[in-house]
């Protein structure tokens, strides 16, 4: 779910908009190293995959369904900066075409779900890989745990934005508790699914998984 | 499947709003929503003015009541969250129909409901009057990095294809008696998502090779530059300018 207009005041939203634009510019320069414009169709297809995965619901318990968020999934599959670019494109289109997430809240959403969700989540993944034994199973485990942590991390982003420019009188403590409580649960689901999807891709095309290539020292063919 | 397809977001029409250059529309929409968000919540008259403006635009664009109403549903979860504000916010309490509600919580609720709905209506009018390729040209004209608009174009073009793969995969699984009822049944869904990622990636490679064979060198051929005349900018920006004037008045009167 994306922040709509009005939850966070205009000045804060604008500030985060500038920050998101700057971060996105830096990410595009970063990806230029391995995701050249040559691979634009590839990035587009990965974005379509993330978008589609977000639209397909699965049952959680009877009467409730959820969907994948895909930040860490995208980062592990195509790399943190490309993942950030892909997630930002998805958020941009959701806000501009689907009216999902407010226009003024675009920067807030890109920082939370794109930057914290993909780049932050990938940092967790890298750290975990260093701690876990050097086996290919570790990449699956690390991706799952990182995805589980990235969801409450993104929720923390919202709590921070609320602390800076929240428009309501609800105490920060209540917002923090509500956001953390729900997002830790969502994170568990996200972690389980991310691990399973990564495991499925690793078992058929390990060469396509950026996070595995980095761990084995081999560069993926398409991303160099 | 929650398959709100991209082409269903546009409402075909030939109104002046449809024909306005996309870059002017996008800029006007952003500036207008920022004015709405910057308005002090106590200035109820200002929100009434904004509502008249966006509803008027939707009517002018001949979007139709049903089209707009169905798309407004996106906001429902946030309205529900906002309805809790009067109960959990602190401060002075007032009694409404026997319930103890926070006065500032009620204002918080009004603030979020009004601004989120107006923002959503603006987005609906923008997407409803601007076709996707046109919107992308508008973003190009606004100097959004080409890499981003190019990725966006590919994503939108292949979204229905990838969604179609998901739904075919689901039909195939259903016909083999896979009927998930809770989260414990998630593995086949995740495995199929992995398979679809591999297919999407390989499709991306094929698309690139096919384009390379037709002379693609990493840059889409730039179309004829479509600059908006000053008069068009003035026409499009007059509404957000008016909205910012209202915002300034609202602050001044408080």
């Amino acid at each position: 779910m994306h922040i709509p207009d009005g939850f966070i005041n205009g000045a804060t939203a604008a500030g985060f908009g500038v920050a998101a634009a700057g971060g996105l510019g830096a990410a595009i320069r970063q990806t230029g190293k391995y995701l050249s414009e040559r691979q634009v169709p590839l990035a587009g297809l990965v974005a379509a995959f993330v978008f589609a995965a977000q639209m397909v619901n699965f049952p959680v318990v009877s009467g409730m369904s959820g969907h994948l968020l895909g930040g860490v999934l995208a980062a592990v599959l195509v790399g943190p900066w490309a993942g950030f670019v892909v997630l930002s494109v998805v958020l941009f289109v959701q806000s501009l075409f689907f009216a999902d997430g407010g226009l003024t809240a675009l920067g807030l959403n890109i920082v939370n779900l794109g930057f914290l969700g993909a780049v932050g989540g990938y940092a967790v993944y890298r750290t975990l890989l260093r701690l876990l034994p050097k086996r290919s199973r570790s990449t699956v485990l690390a991706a799952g745990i990182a995805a589980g942590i990235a969801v409450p991390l993104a929720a923390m982003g919202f709590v921070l934005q609320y602390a800076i420019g929240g428009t309501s009188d609800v105490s920060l403590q209540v917002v923090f508790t509500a956001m953390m409580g729900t997002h830790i649960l969502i994170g568990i689901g996200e972690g389980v699914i991310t691990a399973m999807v990564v495991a499925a891709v690793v078992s058929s095309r390990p060469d396509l998984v950026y996070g595995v290539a980095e761990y084995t020292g081999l560069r993926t063919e398409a991303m160099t | 499947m929650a398959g709100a397809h991209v082409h269903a977001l546009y409402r075909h029409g030939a109104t002046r709003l449809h024909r306005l250059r996309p870059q002017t529309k996008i800029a006007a929409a952003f500036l207008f929503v920022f004015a709405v968000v910057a308005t002090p919540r106590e200035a109820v008259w200002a929100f009434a003015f904004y509502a008249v403006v966006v509803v008027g635009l939707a009517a002018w664009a001949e979007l139709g009541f049903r089209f707009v109403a169905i798309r407004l549903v996106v906001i429902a979860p946030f309205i529900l969250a906002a309805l809790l504000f009067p109960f959990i916010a602190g401060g002075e309490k007032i009694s409404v129909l026997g319930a103890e509600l926070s006065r500032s919580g009620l204002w918080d609720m009004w603030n979020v409901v009004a601004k989120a709905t107006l923002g959503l209506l603006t987005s609906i009018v923008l997407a409803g009057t601007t076709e996707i390729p046109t919107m992308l040209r508008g973003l190009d004209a606004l100097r959004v990095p080409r890499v981003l608009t190019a990725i966006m174009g590919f994503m939108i073009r292949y979204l229905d294809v990838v969604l179609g793969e998901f739904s075919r995969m689901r039909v195939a699984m259903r016909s083999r008696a896979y009927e998930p009822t809770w989260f414990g049944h998630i593995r086949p869904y995740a495995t199929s998502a992995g398979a679809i990622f591999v297919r999407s990636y390989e499709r991306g490679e094929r698309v690139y090779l096919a384009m390379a064979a037709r002379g693609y060198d990493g840059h889409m051929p730039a179309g004829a530059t479509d600059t908006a005349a000053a008069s068009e900018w003035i026409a499009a920006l007059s509404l957000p300018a008016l909205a910012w004037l209202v915002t300034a008045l609202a602050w001044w009167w408080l």
Side-chain angles (χ1 to χ4, degrees):
Chain A
M1 269 196 291
H2 309 331
I3 308 170
D5 297 306
F7 257 76
I8 306 291
N9 69 35
T12 312
F16 274 91
V18 171
L24 204 50
I28 291 170
R29 278 193 298 280
Q30 276 288 323
T31 52
K33 289 180 195 156
Y34 62 95
L35 183 89
S36 59
E37 281 194 49
R38 207 169 72 80
Q39 274 118 23
V40 160
L42 210 56
L45 260 300
V46 174
F49 167 76
V50 172
F51 202 148
Q54 289 190 359
M55 283 169 92
V56 176
N57 285 308
F58 50 77
V60 180
V61 286
S62 69
M64 253 181 81
S65 65
H67 66 78
L68 201 65
L69 300 171
V72 171
L73 181 62
V76 170
L77 291 175
V78 298
W81 296 106
F84 175 39
V85 172
V86 160
L87 258 292
S88 303
V89 166
V90 169
L91 290 166
F92 218 99
V93 170
Q94 282 169 339
S95 164
L96 216 52
F97 297 88
F98 289 80
D100 188 4
L103 291 179
T104 62
L106 191 53
L108 305 168
N109 284 317
I110 287 181
V111 167
N112 294 346
L113 298 165
F115 187 77
L116 291 176
V119 181
Y122 196 81
V124 177
Y125 170 80
R126 283 274 302 264
T127 314
L128 287 169
L129 270 193
R130 230 169 264 145
L131 301 175
L132 290 165
K134 292 240 172 285
R135 281 194 218 114
S136 70
R137 285 269 287 286
S138 298
T139 56
V140 172
L141 188 65
I145 297 172
I149 292 173
V151 174
L153 189 67
M156 280 299 294
F158 174 77
V159 174
L160 176 75
Q161 291 158 357
Y162 184 86
I164 299 173
T167 57
S168 69
D169 208 19
V170 180
S171 76
L172 196 60
Q173 185 137 28
V174 173
V175 172
F176 177 81
T177 316
M179 287 298 283
M180 280 322 232
T182 48
H183 286 81
I184 284 172
L185 289 179
I186 297 170
I188 292 171
E190 176 84 4
V192 171
I193 297 177
T194 301
M196 285 175 174
V197 177
V198 170
V201 179
V202 166
S203 68
S204 60
R205 288 290 302 272
D207 56 316
L208 295 190
V209 184
Y210 177 92
V212 172
E214 194 174 52
Y215 149 77
T216 55
L218 296 166
R219 277 311 205 176
T220 55
E221 169 212 338
M223 285 299 181
T224 39
Chain B
M1 180 174 303
H5 292 278
V6 191
H7 41 79
L9 306 174
Y10 172 73
R11 188 84 164 181
H12 196 71
T15 65
R16 176 116 196 271
L17 222 52
H18 282 80
R19 275 177 287 133
L20 206 59
R21 290 278 191 300
Q23 56 269 43
T24 63
K25 271 193 277 190
I26 297 169
F30 270 95
L31 290 172
F32 181 80
V33 182
F34 264 107
V36 170
V37 170
T39 307
R41 57 193 186 178
E42 289 82 4
V44 177
W45 60 272
F47 293 101
F49 168 78
Y50 300 140
V52 168
V53 169
V54 268
V55 170
L57 285 177
W60 191 24
E62 294 163 11
L63 292 181
F65 179 77
R66 248 181 76 84
F67 177 82
V68 175
I70 289 173
R71 301 217 37 217
L72 271 176
V73 175
V74 192
I75 204 93
F78 289 97
I79 303 289
L80 287 178
L83 288 181
L84 290 175
F85 286 171
F87 298 98
I88 55 179
E92 182 198 348
K93 301 277 180 192
I94 49 170
S95 179
V96 180
L97 299 170
E100 288 285 298
L101 300 178
S102 151
R103 182 188 289 278
S104 61
L106 284 169
W107 275 116
D108 296 339
M109 178 182 78
W110 152 254
N111 181 55
V112 165
V113 170
K115 289 177 179 175
T117 312
L118 286 168
L120 181 56
L121 278 170
T122 311
S123 299
I124 293 173
V125 171
L126 175 63
T129 58
T130 318
E131 265 183 303
I132 288 156
T134 319
M135 189 91 89
L136 293 177
R137 264 194 290 121
L139 291 174
D140 277 337
L142 288 172
R143 308 271 165 81
V144 172
R146 283 243 168 214
V147 189
L148 282 187
T149 53
I151 295 177
M152 244 178 250
F154 277 103
M155 184 190 95
I156 291 165
R157 198 167 307 153
Y158 286 98
L159 180 59
D160 280 350
V161 175
V162 178
L163 274 174
E165 296 217 351
F166 265 101
S167 79
R168 278 196 299 283
M169 193 78 96
R170 197 159 262 212
V171 169
M173 280 155 60
R174 282 243 164 89
S175 64
R176 286 160 182 80
Y178 171 67
E179 201 66 57
T181 50
W182 73 290
F183 195 72
H185 298 152
I186 206 70
R187 185 177 279 281
Y189 160 83
T191 316
S192 64
I196 290 168
F197 170 77
V198 173
R199 285 189 203 171
S200 304
Y201 198 100
E202 286 171 346
R203 189 188 295 275
E205 289 176 321
R206 286 201 303 280
V207 168
Y208 166 67
L209 289 176
M211 289 175 68
R214 287 160 181 79
Y216 175 69
D217 59 354
H219 299 272
M220 291 301 274
T225 39
D226 193 22
T227 45
S231 61
E232 210 170 351
W233 275 108
I234 291 168
L237 295 185
S238 59
L239 268 183
L242 198 60
W244 274 103
L245 191 68
V246 168
T247 308
L249 277 179
W251 278 108
W252 182 59
W253 269 337
L254 279 175

